[in-house]
Amino acid sequence: MTLPVTAEIIVIGAGTAGLAAVKQVQKQTDDFLLINAGEYGTTCARVGCMPSKLLIEAANAYHRRHCFDTFGIRHAESLAIDLPAVFSRVRELRDYYVSGVMKSVHALGNKVVTGRAKLQSYNQVQVNDQIIQCKKIIIATGSTPIVPENWKTSGNKLLTTDSLFEQSDLKSRIAVIGMGAIGIEMAQALSRLGINITAFSSTQQLAGLTDPEVNQSIHHLLQVEFPIYSGDKAELSETANGVLVSAGKVSVEVDQVIAAIGRQANLKHIGLECLGVPLNDEGIPEINPHTMQVADLPVFIAGDASSLNMVLHEVADEGRIAGHNAVSASIEHFCRRTPMRIVFTDPEIACVGMTYEQCNEANTLIGQALFEDQGRARAGQQNKGVMRLYADRNNGRLIGAEMATPAAEHMAHVLALAIEQQLTIAQILAMPIYHPVLEEGMRTALRQLQKQLPTDKAFDLSRCEAFHSEALD
């Protein structure tokens, strides 16, 4: 393919951020090129959000058999898992999601170029062997799993999320190293599918939690399903029968290892050194999170490549911001959404707004709800976990939350909206909450906060404490 010698906008990377950027650019000009060197289909659809949730759904469906007897459903012991069939469905639906993304790419026609791009300056990009002049550059090259160099000698005994979902079957003993979001999700899912899982975390904090009460709760709940060794860095060494994982005083031999210690931006060979701006230890320049611009250059970095927020809705926002500013007459600053992270374990983990660690202790009130005796949770045998809400002592506004509870993915959205709208605890409590629903647990934490506030003692309409009913507490 003969490439044009000039283009107004060059977008490097056809993932979520790159495609979002192109969508914005197209509103103003068709003089652009989308350059991509790796696989098409986005990290989310191919190896991230979607295949991981497909695996989790299968694992949770199978795990429910442990509750059947209590529900009066007999003979659960005769059920069995067909792991190759599980992974076959994962890939089948994964490919369906990827095909949807590919339609967007194919619709761009000759605007898409397959090739490796490297910056020559802030307005020159080399693609394969050709130099293209441009006015603006958007870098959205995504990320790859972090794998220490000395681990790579383990060959096919070492997996990442880039290779996990391609397996037709798995060995019986697996170590998951890294208890961030993806590590903790995959550890629990594979354990529930019958794999003998051993988990390792270099920190005591699981899944990014900073609240010690929530962290302790999820740690205790997960330890019932598989062992977690935290606080020491793991090292690998090959054995005749597999891989020996050592961390502190613990050594465990396994058949395979899943490396889940994080992802790194794909910027190593993109040529950022030619921009003349300082780079940090990871080779990333300072990026304005409200404009996605690098210094005052006509260069923007978005998505996983920015390393700012590696979650899909934030990645898409960054692509839109970069695309908008690349075609605008002046650089516009955009407010970012209320921070929200959700981890799809059981119980689900969520952090919204300010974390416990970010809160000013002297100015923060904490409301707590335990779900062991929550009515709707008990009905579904999901009664476990804890929610902690944080409010500003001075104005009574909700400012953050950390939780490990059933339906955290849904309650997190309600709380994010409340924080975004700067609602007070009293205003949130004015919202109707049906009975019986899991959100009644959230209301318990809100009412605990309300009792601590020095002003605004107005009751919400359903309070009637004398009846000692969950709907009224």
Side-chain angles (χ1 to χ4, degrees), residues 42 75 81 153 184 267 335 372 415 422:
T42 80
H75 307 301
I81 195 73
T153 58
I184 206 168
L267 293 175
C335 295
E372 282 84 349
L415 295 169
Q422 299 184 358

Side-chain angles (χ1 to χ4, degrees), residues 15-16 41-51 142-143 162 263 304:
T16 299
T42 80
T43 296
C44 171
R46 286 190 304 103
V47 297
C49 320
M50 299 316 295
S143 63
D162 280 8
R263 297 183 69 89
D304 280 8

